[in-house]
């Protein structure tokens, strides 16, 4: 692993347009559980499968149950960026990193100081009334009881992409453009099994594709550098 990290250090130092593409594994060291690992949300027992609970149709059909699950499992409170978020923010400030593309909805990249962030699946920090469009912050949703309602009486929905919903076209276009122009692409903390997000890796045209993930991914054979280890372990050395 030491030689691989040294190679990664060299590639980062030589990068002109480095892009980082991350998933749930980026935030686990901040205490936010992922979905697909042994102790992830998808392996916990609920009245309904998590994939069902966080679907668009279930939200419309049973918003009360959705919000009970959402507040407990998907709305982090007092969570701070970890070493990975902080290093990425520093790289952006130094002019090495051109963009972060994330599948996460926790807003920790921005909290660490990153400015150019494409949030493929939205953010828990933004919530809007489905009736009048008024926006509310995460604290309002967290502190409300039952289904949060707008002053106009409309139901407030988190600005996150639920199952059965499409990704934002503008966000997707921006992410594709950043990845396509990258000279180094670091893909980390993601199983690369959720589409269309996982398919974005196919837009990379360079020869310095780095995959960092605890478990194997379907794209390991495509990587120019592949590290199977904890993300924080790597970024503490960077």
């Amino acid at each position: 692993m030491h030689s691989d990290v040294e190679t990664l250090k060299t590639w980062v130092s030589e990068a002109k347009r480095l892009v980082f593409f991350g998933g749930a594994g980026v935030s686990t060291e901040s205490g936010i559980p992922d979905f697909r690992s042994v102790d992830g949300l998808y392996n916990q027992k609920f009245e309904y499968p998590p994939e069902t609970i966080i679907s668009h149709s279930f939200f419309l059909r049973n918003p009360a149950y959705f919000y009970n699950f959402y507040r407990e499992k998907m709305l982090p409170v007092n969570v701070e960026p970890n070493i990975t978020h902080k290093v990425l923010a520093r790289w952006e400030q130094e002019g090495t990193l051109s963009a972060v593309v994330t599948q996460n909805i926790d807003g920790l990249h921005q909290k660490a100081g990153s400015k150019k962030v494409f949030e493929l699946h939205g953010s828990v920090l933004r919530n809007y009334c489905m009736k009048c469009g008024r926006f509310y912050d995460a604290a309002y949703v967290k502190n409300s009881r039952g289904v949060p309602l707008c002053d106009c009486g409309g139901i407030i929905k988190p600005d996150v992409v639920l199952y059965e919903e499409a990704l934002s076209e503008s966000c997707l276009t921006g992410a594709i453009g950043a990845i396509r122009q990258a000279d180094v692409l670091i893909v980390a903390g993601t199983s690369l099994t959720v589409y269309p997000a996982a398919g974005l890796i196919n837009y990379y045209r360079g020869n310095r594709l780095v995959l960092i993930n605890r478990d194997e991914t379907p794209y390991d054979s495509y990587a120019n550098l592949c590290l199977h280890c904890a993300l924080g372990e790597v970024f503490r050395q960077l």
Side-chain angles (χ1 to χ4, degrees):
M1 174 179 159
H2 176 73
S3 61
D4 288 339
V5 173
E6 290 303 311
T7 298
L8 179 54
K9 284 182 180 179
T10 299
W11 289 1
V12 170
S13 67
E14 295 175 349
K16 298 291 191 297
R17 296 180 306 279
L18 188 153
V19 170
F20 180 89
F21 175 25
V26 177
S27 294
T28 51
E29 289 194 23
S30 291
I32 299 177
D34 63 11
F35 284 81
R36 290 173 173 76
S37 66
V38 174
D39 54 351
L41 287 181
Y42 285 179
N43 289 307
Q44 298 178 29
K45 299 299 182 183
F46 303 100
E47 187 175 344
Y48 305 93
E51 301 97 317
T52 298
I53 300 171
I54 55 177
S55 67
H56 178 79
S57 56
F58 188 91
F59 172 79
L60 296 179
R61 185 171 66 251
N62 196 342
Y65 192 98
F66 169 89
Y67 267 110
N68 286 338
F69 177 88
Y70 178 76
R71 288 192 185 94
E72 180 182 351
K73 300 296 184 181
M74 298 180 65
L75 192 54
V77 177
N78 300 323
V79 177
E80 296 298 325
N82 59 51
I83 186 66
T84 302
H85 299 108
K86 294 174 182 177
V87 169
L88 291 171
R90 174 168 58 82
W91 285 351
E92 183 181 15
Q93 292 165 5
E94 294 171 349
T96 299
L97 182 75
S98 59
V100 168
V101 179
T102 181
Q103 294 172 278
N104 296 338
I105 58 176
D106 50 47
L108 289 180
H109 284 293
Q110 291 92 330
K111 194 170 185 178
S114 291
K115 305 297 183 185
K116 191 68 172 293
V117 183
F118 295 102
E119 297 174 308
L120 296 175
H121 297 150
S123 172
V124 299
L125 303 182
R126 301 185 301 270
N127 306 271
Y128 65 92
C129 173
M130 297 176 68
K131 185 177 180 180
C132 73
R134 179 178 174 183
F135 270 72
Y136 291 84
D137 61 16
Y140 183 89
V141 173
K142 184 72 176 179
N143 297 327
S144 61
R145 292 189 177 186
V147 179
L149 300 176
C150 177
D151 292 340
C152 76
I155 293 177
I156 296 171
K157 180 187 180 295
D159 190 17
V160 299
V161 179
L162 303 177
Y163 282 102
E164 304 166 354
E165 294 181 340
L167 273 60
S168 161
E169 282 296 328
S170 61
C171 181
L172 195 57
T173 299
I176 290 172
I179 290 172
R180 182 176 279 148
Q181 296 171 23
D183 53 3
V184 177
L185 176 63
I186 300 177
V187 181
T190 173
S191 61
L192 290 173
T193 57
V194 177
Y195 288 84
L200 296 185
I201 195 173
N202 295 317
Y203 289 95
Y204 179 59
R205 295 292 180 261
N207 60 0
R208 291 185 171 185
L209 171 61
V210 184
L211 291 188
I212 308 172
N213 198 53
R214 185 175 57 185
D215 304 316
E216 294 183 357
T217 80
Y219 285 86
D220 282 6
S221 61
Y222 293 86
N224 303 108
L225 191 62
C226 191
L227 293 87
H228 289 140
C229 54
L231 193 53
E233 185 180 348
V234 174
F235 271 76
R236 284 185 186 90
Q237 300 179 62
L238 296 174

